[in-house]
């Protein structure tokens, strides 16, 4: 696995993560996938081990480090253990929800939610997508209307990662239909509030262990103190934080592709066809050579992007490039690796089959890859 990016501290942290995964994750992964739900206890264990809130301030129980390489270590070790579902949930917590609360939360919000989120005692979700609006965020219909002392929230969200377990939800809502992109606001919603309702736990083809749900808001009353950031600036707040989300997706894609490639390299050295090792055929060697080269090149670009993010210099354009390229590469690599397994690659008992199903969503969420290309293209021709 790629190591050039890491120093002694990261390698020591990797030992901690690897021990945690062996103890708290590997024995339970199959059960979580079968149930479509991950035990809350593993979240608390991750918090106790210091694997959550890595970039959150230490005064709230976080790690206090903007170095994304620590997050990368967690991502790599979870994917190496075939725990993509848990990785998806923890990534939403650390790369989406926590940055919103850290950056935009007022003192009371930070004090209430950061300690339990960092400790794994609370689970967070980000509610953007709706049945009729995914990548087109300006098309959302969930609405918060002003009332005396606050707001009344009504609407529906779908495909919400951590939606079943979430204790707190960052909700994107329309607050001024006439104001265009300035007519949206973020709210921090307590899942115990009257008017908050969970719908179905959605049945997905991949990431089977991660809970994905519909959420409903029925005349849910919010105070002014529940506004996250500035009223009317919700869309801008999203745009400012999308680079981290998209880099997290890119990092997951590349780490998964690398794990599958490494496993396949071992497999074709052991598997025989026509009396020969599969890796002895020229076609196999050419396919492996192409994948190895593409992965090495991708790691170089991702390493650069991670350093830019840690220095707060990663642009939305660079993040879009990383997201679409790495997720497309993941799809290509996993598909070609599965082909080298032959019929066994189609069996769910093999990690490559599960990785194949898990990989497909990477090109969709966080903004579809078509949207990523539009972002890059607009920047080129503006």
């Amino acid at each position: 696995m790629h190591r050039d990016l890491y120093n002694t501290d990261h390698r020591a942290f990797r030992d901690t993560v690897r021990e945690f995964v062996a103890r708290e994750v590997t024995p339970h992964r199959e059960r979580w996938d079968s149930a479509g739900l991950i035990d809350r206890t593993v979240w608390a264990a991750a918090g106790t081990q210091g694997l959550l809130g890595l970039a959150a301030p230490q005064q709230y129980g976080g790690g206090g480090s903007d170095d994304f390489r620590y997050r990368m270590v967690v991502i790599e070790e979870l994917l190496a253990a075939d725990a993509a579902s848990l990785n998806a949930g923890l990534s939403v917590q650390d790369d989406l929800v926590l940055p919103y609360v850290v950056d935009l939360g007022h003192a009371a919000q930070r004090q209430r939610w950061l300690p339990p989120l960092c400790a794994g005692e609370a689970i967070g979700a980000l509610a953007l997508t709706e049945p009729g609006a995914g990548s087109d965020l300006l098309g959302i219909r969930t609405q918060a209307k002003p009332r005396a002392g606050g707001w009344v929230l009504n609407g529906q969200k779908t495909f919400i990662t951590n939606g079943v377990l979430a204790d707190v939800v960052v909700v994107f809502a329309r607050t001024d239909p006439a104001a265009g992109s300035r007519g949206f606001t973020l709210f921090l919603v307590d899942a115990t509030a009257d008017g908050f309702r969970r719908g179905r736990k959605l049945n997905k083809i991949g990431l089977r262990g991660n809970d994905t749900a519909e959420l409903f808001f029925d005349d849910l009353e919010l105070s002014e103190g529940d506004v996250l950031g500035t009223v009317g600036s919700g869309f801008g707040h999203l745009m400012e934080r999308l680079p981290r989300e998209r880099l997290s997706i890119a990092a997951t894609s590349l780490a998964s592709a690398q794990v599958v490639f490494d496993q396949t390299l071992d497999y074709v050295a052991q598997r025989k066809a026509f009396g020969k090792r599969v890796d002895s055929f020229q076609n196999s060697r050419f396919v492996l050579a192409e994948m190895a080269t593409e992965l090495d090149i991708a790691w170089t670009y991702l390493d650069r992007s991670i350093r830019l993010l840690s220095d707060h210099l990663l642009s939305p354009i660079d993040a879009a490039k990383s997201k679409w390229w790495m997720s497309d590469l993941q799809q290509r690599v996993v598909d070609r690796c599965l082909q080298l397994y032959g019929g066994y690659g189609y069996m769910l008992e093999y990690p490559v089959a599960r990785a194949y199903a898990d990989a497909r969503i990477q090109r969709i969420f966080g903004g579809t890859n078509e949207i990523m290309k539009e972002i890059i293209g607009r920047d080129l021709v503006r």
Side-chain angles (χ1 to χ4, degrees):
M1 192 174 287
H2 186 71
R3 286 290 182 270
D4 294 345
L5 187 63
Y6 306 112
N7 61 30
T8 303
D9 291 338
H10 301 116
R11 288 190 283 273
F13 182 66
R14 186 181 297 278
D15 291 339
T16 298
V17 178
R18 191 168 289 170
E19 188 275 332
F20 165 82
V21 169
R23 185 183 71 249
E24 303 287 351
V25 178
T26 300
H28 309 293
R29 184 203 57 78
E30 289 187 20
R31 177 170 56 81
W32 293 340
D33 283 356
S34 297
L37 196 66
I38 292 170
D39 299 337
R40 290 188 69 102
T41 52
V42 76
W43 289 79
T48 299
Q49 201 71 54
L51 308 189
L52 288 174
L54 293 170
Q58 291 181 331
Q59 69 192 85
Y60 299 107
S65 172
D66 285 336
D67 187 346
F68 190 79
R69 289 176 291 181
Y70 289 104
R71 279 286 302 125
M72 192 69 213
V73 168
V74 176
I75 291 169
E76 287 179 346
E77 291 303 316
L78 287 172
L79 293 174
D82 195 19
S85 291
L86 179 59
N87 178 69
L90 297 189
S91 292
V92 166
Q93 184 103 329
D94 251 47
D95 298 328
L96 280 70
V97 175
L98 274 162
Y100 280 96
V101 182
V102 169
D103 296 344
L104 303 173
H106 54 68
Q109 289 172 327
R110 288 158 63 101
Q111 188 58 55
R112 180 181 182 188
W113 289 113
L114 289 181
L117 286 169
C118 292
E121 297 166 359
I123 296 172
L126 179 65
L128 307 181
T129 302
E130 299 184 1
S135 296
D136 177 20
L137 290 174
L138 295 180
I140 70 156
R141 300 177 64 182
T142 295
Q143 189 168 14
K145 294 184 177 180
R147 67 171 179 88
W151 305 81
V152 177
L153 182 66
N154 281 283
Q156 175 185 358
K157 300 291 184 179
T158 194
F159 307 146
I160 306 305
T161 302
N162 298 346
V164 173
L165 295 177
D167 301 289
V168 61
V169 183
V170 177
V171 179
F172 184 58
R174 187 183 294 273
T175 47
D176 185 350
S181 63
R182 300 289 298 175
F184 298 89
T185 302
L186 292 172
F187 295 91
L188 204 54
V189 177
D190 188 329
T192 64
D194 292 339
F196 178 87
R197 180 165 53 93
R198 304 178 208 267
R200 296 178 299 148
K201 179 166 69 69
L202 301 173
N203 193 18
K204 311 185 297 296
I205 65 171
L207 299 178
R208 301 282 297 173
N210 177 260
D211 59 299
T212 304
E214 300 171 317
L215 302 180
F216 298 89
F217 313 101
D218 306 315
D219 292 328
L220 193 156
E221 294 187 358
L222 297 166
S223 70
E224 293 292 350
D226 293 319
V227 172
L228 189 60
T230 304
V231 173
S233 297
F235 188 74
H237 292 327
L238 288 183
M239 295 303 104
E240 292 163 1
R241 276 145 203 90
L242 279 174
R244 183 184 180 97
E245 175 184 355
R246 287 169 177 163
L247 187 66
S248 177
I249 295 169
T252 295
S253 292
L254 187 52
S256 174
Q258 186 71 57
V259 166
V260 173
F261 175 79
D262 292 342
Q263 292 170 343
T264 303
L265 204 55
D266 290 338
Y267 181 82
V268 295
Q270 301 167 22
R271 182 73 178 172
K272 290 188 176 182
F274 303 102
K276 298 181 179 180
R277 284 174 26 173
V278 171
D279 65 357
S280 70
F281 296 105
Q282 186 182 64
N283 178 71
S284 298
R285 295 198 301 271
F286 279 14
V287 170
L288 292 169
E290 290 166 4
M291 290 191 290
T293 304
E294 286 189 283
L295 287 167
D296 281 352
I297 293 169
W299 276 114
T300 300
Y301 191 84
L302 185 67
D303 288 0
R304 171 183 174 273
S305 298
I306 288 172
R307 294 183 191 281
L308 287 173
L309 179 71
S310 297
D311 292 336
H312 307 284
L313 295 174
L314 183 69
S315 73
I317 308 304
D318 283 338
K321 289 177 181 178
S322 290
K323 193 270 179 185
W324 91 257
W325 181 260
M326 305 300 175
S327 59
D328 265 23
L329 176 61
Q330 177 189 15
Q331 196 79 34
R332 292 197 305 275
V333 168
V334 176
D335 181 72
R336 299 180 85 184
C337 286
L338 190 152
Q339 188 73 14
L340 288 171
Y341 276 77
Y344 289 102
Y346 203 64
M347 300 297 109
L348 280 173
E349 64 191 86
Y350 282 80
V352 68
R354 297 190 292 272
Y356 182 82
D358 292 341
R360 190 59 185 84
I361 189 59
Q362 299 289 107
R363 295 166 61 193
I364 297 173
F365 62 16
T368 65
N369 283 4
E370 291 74 18
I371 295 294
M372 298 303 99
K373 294 173 188 178
E374 180 67 12
I375 291 170
I376 299 163
R378 283 180 182 175
D379 182 69
L380 292 172
V381 302
R382 65 182 177 183

